[in-house]
Amino acid sequence: MSLFIEQERTINGLRLHTIETEKFKTNTILMKWNAPLQKQDATLRALLPHVLQSGTQSLPSVKQLRSHLDDLYGATFDVDLAKKGEQHVISFKMEVANEKFLSDQTPLLQKAMQLFSEVIFTPYLEDNHFSEQIVEKEKRALKQRIQAVYDDKMRYANYRLVQEMCKDEPYSLHVNGELDEVDNITSASLYKYYERVLSEDEIDLYVIGSVNSSQIEQYVSNFFSFSERNARQSPKKNTYTIEKVNEIIEKQDVRQGKLNIGYRTKTTYADKEYFALQVFNGIFGGFSHSKLFINVREKASLAYYAASRLESHKGLLMVMSGIDVQNYDQAVNIIKEQMSAMKQGDFTDQELAQTKAVIKNQVLETIDHSRGLVEVLYHNVASNIHRSIDEWLNGIDGVTKEEIVAVAQDVQLDTIYFLTGMEASQA
């Protein structure tokens, strides 16, 4: 029996996804705008959703918008940005109480979708473009978000690894754009970009809760209208030949070294080998029972933290670790040894079974929340495939040791990045 049944259809230029479930006491409305990652657009795109959520024509300030949300039984509205491979995705999320569970039968979902539509289609404007005051305020906030990456050395090291590893690829762009481009944005240029987004982005709207699908379709028909757009193209799969491992050592005034290592996997979410890659990563460095944690942190006492993660839509595997600067060579060697062990199948049936159980439990925990459920389902949209959650769980269950060893052969070391102290003298 399926955990969730997702119904999908195209209405008014967007793809509507409805999931009828009694699991949640609230209804969630989540819209995703998807466009290619592009240097000329990245900073504009990072600013846009924050300006949109700052006021509408009928509610021209953040205070008035938040007050109206409070009137809808404390509904919430927020925005977010993410990279899915070389796609730049804006998310708008609204959560509202389900009137079925209230004594007052106010049509909350209808009102929520109407307000959601106002935020998207009728933002607060002055002289036919965005408010200068709102744009300047949000530009200051965007600068702070970008600067925060430089101040958090763990995030900074990961950002720099991606920059170096993917320097000629769109994926090297930061999700929040570039600091030196923020000041160039005007309310007029941002509004012009907004108009282009409305006509070109791929739009997906998810509605999750104890809802009626046909009623949702009616609300969407009434409140949302985008122009028709071209059908989604499958993301282009890049192939790489690594002739020489890139080694970058950067010195800053830091006390703890940050060692980040990037690998190319040749496998993305759309591939049938993806399940094996997920289990591979779990055994290698994804969890506290993984090889990196046990051998680099616990046994050798070299790292304050040591883990790996996948970028599922780009086909990257990233290792992150925090080490004393004098332990650089030893840490790199032990990490390489763990990768070699994976390629040789040097892991036990117990490790395999434990990793599968943890991955499945992680998925079940993620979909226990409506937003997490959308994120899992949206992998299908980003990859232009269809894979149900049941198929996901069964796919993990069916992975064999031989499949893990096979997928490991394609994992290639690309870049080693080390952020170290000013006085360090390691090679």
Side-chain angles (χ1 to χ4, degrees):
M1 181 179 174
S2 181
L3 287 168
F4 293 97
I5 297 175
E6 177 186 7
Q7 299 180 54
E8 181 182 325
R9 63 166 295 189
T10 299
I11 303 176
N12 291 351
L14 64 77
R15 272 186 304 263
L16 171 64
H17 310 252
T18 53
I19 296 110
E20 297 183 37
T21 174
E22 301 296 323
K23 185 176 180 61
F24 309 114
K25 300 300 182 189
T26 58
N27 291 327
T28 297
I29 309 163
L30 204 155
M31 180 178 280
K32 289 186 175 287
W33 295 0
N34 190 326
L37 260 171
Q38 294 179 317
K39 181 169 174 44
Q40 67 268 27
D41 296 335
T43 313
L44 284 161
R45 194 168 182 82
L47 181 63
L48 178 60
H50 295 278
V51 170
L52 289 175
Q53 71 161 353
S54 295
T56 69
Q57 286 182 16
S58 64
L59 302 163
S61 70
V62 172
K63 184 177 179 181
Q64 288 170 286
L65 186 57
R66 297 298 161 188
S67 177
H68 187 60
L69 287 166
D70 287 341
D71 291 341
L72 298 178
Y73 283 83
T76 61
F77 190 97
D78 59 80
V79 301
D80 193 19
L81 289 108
K83 293 194 300 184
K84 300 286 185 187
E86 292 178 340
Q87 302 165 79
H88 204 175
V89 181
I90 298 173
S91 296
F92 300 88
K93 182 199 172 193
M94 190 170 186
E95 195 161 338
V96 63
N98 191 321
E99 59 257 35
K100 289 183 179 180
F101 305 108
L102 300 173
S103 54
D104 178 3
Q105 293 299 300
T106 302
L108 284 177
L109 183 57
Q110 179 181 350
K111 288 179 176 291
M113 293 195 76
Q114 186 171 5
L115 176 60
F116 201 112
S117 171
E118 284 183 32
V119 171
I120 302 302
F121 294 111
T122 58
Y124 176 59
L125 303 179
E126 294 174 349
D127 299 325
N128 295 317
H129 53 67
F130 291 122
S131 158
E132 295 275 4
Q133 184 178 1
I134 289 174
V135 170
E136 289 304 314
K137 171 176 167 288
E138 292 304 331
K139 281 166 66 173
R140 290 192 294 272
L142 178 58
K143 286 182 179 180
Q144 291 172 354
R145 285 192 294 276
I146 295 172
Q147 186 60 48
V149 175
Y150 293 85
D151 297 337
D152 181 338
K153 296 309 177 186
M154 190 183 297
R155 290 168 64 196
Y156 174 77
N158 189 64
Y159 169 57
R160 288 286 295 117
L161 171 67
V162 169
Q163 266 194 328
E164 294 290 343
M165 187 175 175
C166 306
K167 62 176 61 174
D168 298 320
E169 304 160 50
Y171 190 73
S172 65
L173 296 168
H174 192 269
V175 70
N176 283 320
E178 302 297 328
L179 191 62
D180 59 5
E181 292 182 6
V182 177
D183 285 336
N184 297 328
I185 297 174
T186 66
S187 56
S189 68
L190 185 64
Y191 187 75
K192 187 175 180 181
Y193 178 68
Y194 160 73
E195 291 183 307
R196 179 154 65 89
V197 165
L198 286 185
S199 65
E200 295 178 3
D201 268 29
E202 292 174 335
I203 312 291
D204 289 86
L205 178 65
Y206 291 80
V207 183
I208 300 175
S210 181
V211 297
N212 180 284
S213 290
S214 38
Q215 185 183 57
I216 297 301
E217 290 175 13
Q218 189 60 53
Y219 291 156
V220 172
S221 295
N222 292 343
F223 300 132
F224 296 89
S225 183
F226 295 90
S227 59
E228 294 300 319
R229 52 210 66 209
N230 296 329
R232 163 175 291 277
Q233 301 296 310
S234 294
K236 184 177 72 174
K237 190 164 182 179
N238 298 314
T239 55
Y240 304 92
T241 301
I242 301 169
E243 296 176 355
K244 181 185 177 184
V245 173
N246 191 19
E247 185 177 24
I248 307 294
I249 294 176
E250 181 176 341
K251 294 186 178 183
Q252 287 190 14
D253 185 14
V254 295
R255 297 177 64 184
Q256 184 192 105
K258 307 295 181 189
L259 172 60
N260 287 43
I261 301 178
Y263 298 83
R264 305 276 184 177
T265 72
K266 298 185 181 178
T267 301
T268 66
Y269 187 88
D271 297 317
K272 66 181 188 302
E273 297 85 3
Y274 179 71
F275 299 120
L277 183 65
Q278 272 284 346
V279 180
F280 163 91
N281 179 60
I283 298 173
F284 175 62
F287 305 111
S288 59
H289 69 268
S290 302
K291 288 185 177 295
L292 292 183
F293 189 91
I294 298 296
N295 291 284
V296 182
R297 185 180 186 276
E298 299 291 292
K299 288 185 180 178
S301 299
L302 289 179
Y304 301 96
Y305 61 91
S308 65
R309 69 176 182 87
L310 292 172
E311 205 306 324
S312 300
H313 298 279
K314 178 66 177 168
L316 304 181
L317 171 71
M318 261 91 86
V319 173
M320 301 81 64
S321 64
I323 64 174
D324 288 331
V325 295
Q326 68 270 19
N327 292 332
Y328 172 76
D329 289 325
Q330 191 180 358
V332 169
N333 287 335
I334 294 180
I335 291 169
K336 286 181 177 179
E337 287 170 6
Q338 306 319 305
M339 178 59 72
S340 179
M342 292 300 301
K343 289 177 180 286
Q344 294 167 25
D346 183 11
F347 53 88
T348 66
D349 290 343
Q350 182 181 355
E351 287 176 279
L352 177 56
Q354 183 179 6
T355 300
K356 286 181 179 181
V358 174
I359 292 173
K360 288 167 62 181
N361 188 56
Q362 194 176 63
V363 172
L364 292 172
E365 283 184 1
T366 300
I367 65 174
D368 210 28
H369 306 277
S370 57
R371 176 144 203 171
L373 176 58
V374 172
E375 294 306 321
V376 171
L377 294 173
Y378 191 71
H379 284 304
N380 288 330
V381 175
S383 298
N384 200 23
I385 64 167
H386 181 77
R387 182 181 288 148
S388 70
I389 292 169
D390 300 85
E391 288 173 314
W392 219 109
L393 296 172
N394 292 333
I396 294 295
D397 247 347
V399 170
T400 65
K401 185 170 187 173
E402 292 72 24
E403 288 172 333
I404 296 170
V405 172
V407 83
Q409 306 313 308
D410 282 335
V411 178
Q412 294 179 283
L413 177 59
D414 185 300
T415 300
I416 299 172
Y417 170 85
F418 188 43
L419 178 64
T420 185
M422 301 296 288
E423 303 304 316
S425 59
Q426 78 288 329

